[in-house]
Amino acid sequence: MVSIVLVHGTGVREPSYNRLVAQVTANLRELVPQLRILPCLWGDSHGARLNARGVSLPPEALPETSAAEPVPKSAEVSGWAALEADPYVELRLLAKFALSRPYSPAPQTAIVLARAEVGAMDGTLFAELLSEHGLEPADMDRAKEIALKGLVRCLPEEAPVDRDELQRALARLIAVSIVGEADARWDVIGAAVDGATLDALVTDILDLWGAPRGELGVGTKVAKHLTLPLTRGFEYGASQFLRGRRLQHTEHSAPMIGDILRYQVRGEGVREAVAEAVDSADGPVVVLAHSLGGVACVDLLASRNLKDKVTALVTVGSQAPFFYELDALWSLPYGKGLPQTFPTWWNVYDPRDPLAYVGKGVFGGDRVTDVEFDTRRPLLRAHSAYWDHKPFYSWLAEKVLR
């Protein structure tokens, strides 16, 4: 019986790792019933932390009272990224376009009906779908509150809004808000949810309301000319985020960057944790490693002969090829190839994942096979969405675990 050693990536600690194990197990249970998943939680013991509670940080900055922040340049954005930046963007656009329509009084407007539909939603009706993707009914309950608040803030009760357009906008708002609420229980990368899950949430909500289904993301005619000021763009948003509460934000983000830095100088603990997990398996092992965990596994298998135990390595969203090209990979100086004892290596990536790299160009196509997936999620969302992506599990079961 093949076992999987599941190695997490940077920034992950016990609560989130347990959720990851449960999510991977649930997705593979039907595809490979006899599969055994062996944990390899290295973050708590060998990850980074602020050992002195952040005394290296400068004193907290005083509030700025001089000039106002400059307004960043506007840019066209669309889809879920826009909704994650501003969940109310579609409601605001609906309100804007409603102003151009003739006023027509009605006993029950689309706004009134929508409030009733949202208010009557019960998160327990979606419990099976939510739990399958690491979400909870409480996330939907909070998302309902966000949607109801948006209706009050953005749309006057008498606004002549098309009901179908409003229902689709609200369904997407609720879906993205559910994920936003789940983020609080995960680590800095956020909940592992892919585009198909957002589709399913939107579809189930619209089906509950008996409403026509819409497109993924901000896809109605209302938003085709969407321009969103990048007030929450990276540079501006980061400066606002850090100002004044730097210790709190540093404690939250330190594991993400700190794990990488700590691994580079004291990575032996992580590699040994993986080796011990592999050694604990009774039979052959497939090592499944995410992000920095993939770097550690490449280092381990390039420096130690485990070919009698490890049949394959699957790295997911890993930086190992990038580290090697930079000549920053611990086990191999750039130009030195992988040893013959290195197992079959599959390197999974999403082109939208900014932390994923491909290995063929630097290691050679005969030593690593790059496998592309499209999770339909932006930036760091894509970095964790592999774990919720059904095609990834189907490929893993068919190509690697058969």
Side-chain angles (χ1 to χ4, degrees), residues 33-58:
Q34 301 302 315
L35 183 68
R36 182 185 179 198
I37 296 182
L38 302 175
C40 181
L41 172 60
W42 56 263
D44 289 348
S45 299
H46 306 291
R49 62 178 58 84
L50 291 176
N51 291 291
R53 292 289 298 161
V55 297
S56 60
L57 298 174

Side-chain angles (χ1 to χ4, degrees), residues 4-21 24 37-48 186-187 189 255 259 263 269-271 273-274 277 287-297 314-319 383 387:
I4 281 184
V5 171
L6 182 58
V7 185
H8 66 79
T10 181
V12 176
R13 300 296 183 262
E14 183 174 8
S16 289
Y17 182 72
N18 293 340
R19 285 188 282 270
L20 174 61
V21 172
V24 174
I37 296 182
L38 302 175
C40 181
L41 172 60
W42 56 263
D44 289 348
S45 299
H46 306 291
W186 289 72
D187 289 298
I189 292 175
D259 282 359
Y263 176 78
V270 181
R271 294 188 291 272
V274 178
V287 177
L288 175 59
H290 183 233
S291 192
L292 182 64
V295 176
C297 291
V314 180
T315 54
V316 181
S318 179
Q319 303 84 49
H383 191 55
W387 303 122

Side-chain angles (χ1 to χ4, degrees), residues 158-344:
E158 301 80 12
V161 176
D162 181 86
R163 190 181 179 199
D164 291 347
E165 290 178 352
L166 179 59
Q167 287 176 317
R168 286 193 290 267
L170 285 170
R172 289 188 285 268
L173 188 161
I174 292 170
V176 81
S177 298
I178 288 171
V179 176
E181 290 302 305
D183 283 346
R185 296 192 310 278
W186 289 72
D187 289 298
V188 290
I189 292 175
V193 173
D194 75 349
T197 298
L198 287 171
D199 278 347
L201 285 170
V202 171
T203 296
D204 282 9
I205 293 169
L206 291 174
D207 286 348
L208 176 68
W209 294 339
R213 298 177 182 180
E215 304 171 37
L216 177 69
V218 188
T220 65
K221 63 182 180 181
V222 173
K224 287 188 177 178
H225 302 291
L226 174 64
T227 58
L228 180 66
L230 292 183
T231 305
R232 299 177 190 176
F234 179 76
E235 293 182 2
Y236 180 83
S239 66
Q240 293 293 91
F241 181 75
L242 290 173
R243 179 179 299 155
R245 298 166 62 198
R246 188 169 173 184
L247 174 60
Q248 177 184 341
H249 300 316
T250 301
E251 285 183 318
H252 180 67
S253 60
M256 178 69 148
I257 301 172
D259 282 359
I260 300 172
L261 298 175
R262 193 175 191 276
Y263 176 78
Q264 290 297 87
V265 294
R266 294 186 181 87
E268 62 276 3
V270 181
R271 294 188 291 272
E272 192 57 37
V274 178
E276 290 174 1
V278 169
D279 189 59
S280 69
D282 295 331
V285 169
V286 170
V287 177
L288 175 59
H290 183 233
S291 192
L292 182 64
V295 176
C297 291
V298 170
D299 278 336
L300 172 68
L301 296 171
S303 61
R304 195 180 304 189
N305 184 357
L306 298 179
K307 67 176 183 179
D308 292 337
K309 201 69 179 284
V310 178
T311 60
L313 168 67
V314 180
T315 54
V316 181
S318 179
Q319 303 84 49
F322 182 56
F323 280 21
Y324 179 68
E325 185 176 3
L326 290 176
D327 199 17
L329 193 63
W330 173 82
S331 58
L332 292 173
Y334 180 73
K336 182 178 180 180
L338 293 167
Q340 292 303 311
T341 57
F342 202 88
T344 300

Side-chain angles (χ1 to χ4, degrees), residues 110-131:
I111 313 295
V112 173
L113 294 171
R115 288 178 185 170
E117 288 174 333
V118 173
M121 291 179 68
D122 184 350
T124 59
L125 297 176
F126 300 81
E128 183 176 351
L129 172 64
L130 294 170
S131 63

Side-chain angles (χ1 to χ4, degrees), residues 80-128:
W80 291 109
L83 283 167
E84 290 184 357
D86 179 2
Y88 296 150
V89 64
E90 275 198 281
L91 297 188
R92 290 194 179 97
L93 285 165
L94 282 169
K96 178 181 177 181
F97 279 80
L99 294 175
S100 63
R101 294 173 177 166
Y103 174 71
S104 176
Q108 280 194 310
T109 65
I111 313 295
V112 173
L113 294 171
R115 288 178 185 170
E117 288 174 333
V118 173
M121 291 179 68
D122 184 350
T124 59
L125 297 176
F126 300 81
E128 183 176 351

Side-chain angles (χ1 to χ4, degrees), residues 33 68 74 105 147 164 194 255 362 370:
S74 296
D164 291 347
D194 75 349
V362 289
D370 297 312

